[in-house]
Amino acid sequence: MENSISSSVSSNSSLLDTLDGEDNVFSLVRRAKTGDLSAFDSLMVCYRQRLYAVIYNMTMNAEDAADLTQESFVKAFRSLSKFQEKSSFYTWLYRIGVNLTLSFLKKRKIRQFFSFDQASDDGGMSKDLEAVSSTSTTSVKKALNNELHQKLNEALSKLSDKHRTIVVLFEIDGLGHKEIAKIMNCTEGTVRSRLVYAKQQLQFYLSEYVNY
């Protein structure tokens, strides 16, 4: 069973464009609950890259991210019977992945840099981080990939694991406050307050490089 999961997580294909709507996703989930491995394979291929990106930006280590992504899918498969379809499947899956990663970070007391390369490539940054990473001057825009980029990573590394996780989910993966609250098992108000606090901290750490 786990060997089948491992081979699926390694696949480079994606079903994001072919799974049209929650109904199709839930259909796959229900089939997987009956033991249909091909249905669960499809779910893994669909969400593997997104989950890996979130975990990578939490650990900043490709090997750790791959292992934790694998572990997340294994745990999800074993826990499918507990998924009651009250939330979207990826919210439920992200909660598993984020909790495993936070536990991993806590145990090893990891404090590493984040990389926003994926967000830059995908155009996924929200206006809040765009204020940090870009200005009207060409010289500062060019500095994003050197000194400013490094300082941004250093600033993010100073945030707590939970604050950085919410920043990743909101700024990079583009999830809303409600979805993040479900994943982090907290209130929407807590999500908002942590985002505000994180932004204030980033402004403070980067005040000498960016004018707000």
Side-chain angles (χ1 to χ4, degrees), residues 190-201:
T190 298
V191 171
R192 293 190 183 94
S193 65
R194 286 178 179 172
L195 283 172
V196 169
Y197 176 82
K199 181 180 177 182
Q200 290 173 341
Q201 291 300 299

Side-chain angles (χ1 to χ4, degrees), residues 70-85:
Q70 163 90 359
E71 186 177 351
S72 298
F73 281 115
V74 170
K75 185 170 183 179
F77 180 81
R78 291 173 173 170
S79 304
L80 268 180
S81 61
K82 299 178 182 179
F83 178 53
Q84 300 178 357
E85 302 181 20

Side-chain angles (χ1 to χ4, degrees), residues 126 128-129 132 156 159-160 162-168 170-171 177 180 186-205 212:
S126 73
D128 286 344
L129 279 191
V132 175
L156 284 163
L159 299 178
S160 72
K162 290 184 178 180
H163 282 89
R164 296 198 316 257
T165 299
I166 287 180
V167 168
V168 169
F170 184 78
E171 301 290 355
H177 294 158
I180 295 173
C186 63
T187 66
E188 290 183 55
T190 298
V191 171
R192 293 190 183 94
S193 65
R194 286 178 179 172
L195 283 172
V196 169
Y197 176 82
K199 181 180 177 182
Q200 290 173 341
Q201 291 300 299
L202 290 176
Q203 289 175 339
F204 174 75
Y205 295 136
Y212 285 88

Side-chain angles (χ1 to χ4, degrees), residues 29-91:
V29 170
R30 290 161 191 155
R31 285 169 50 195
K33 284 182 177 181
T34 67
D36 187 338
L37 293 181
S38 65
F40 193 71
D41 287 345
S42 296
L43 290 169
M44 286 189 292
V45 173
C46 176
Y47 293 112
R48 174 187 58 83
Q49 292 182 346
R50 287 183 66 185
L51 182 60
Y52 173 87
V54 168
I55 294 176
Y56 175 79
N57 279 290
M58 292 174 67
T59 63
M60 198 53 193
N61 182 287
E63 184 176 353
D64 290 339
D67 289 344
L68 287 163
T69 300
Q70 163 90 359
E71 186 177 351
S72 298
F73 281 115
V74 170
K75 185 170 183 179
F77 180 81
R78 291 173 173 170
S79 304
L80 268 180
S81 61
K82 299 178 182 179
F83 178 53
Q84 300 178 357
E85 302 181 20
K86 293 181 179 179
S87 64
S88 66
F89 178 75
Y90 77 79
T91 297

Side-chain angles (χ1 to χ4, degrees), residues 107-126:
K107 288 177 181 178
R108 289 162 178 75
K109 297 181 180 179
I110 293 176
R111 296 294 184 270
Q112 296 188 9
F113 293 159
F114 276 81
S115 170
F116 280 83
D117 291 341
Q118 182 212 2
S120 298
D121 293 341
D122 295 344
M125 278 192 177
S126 73

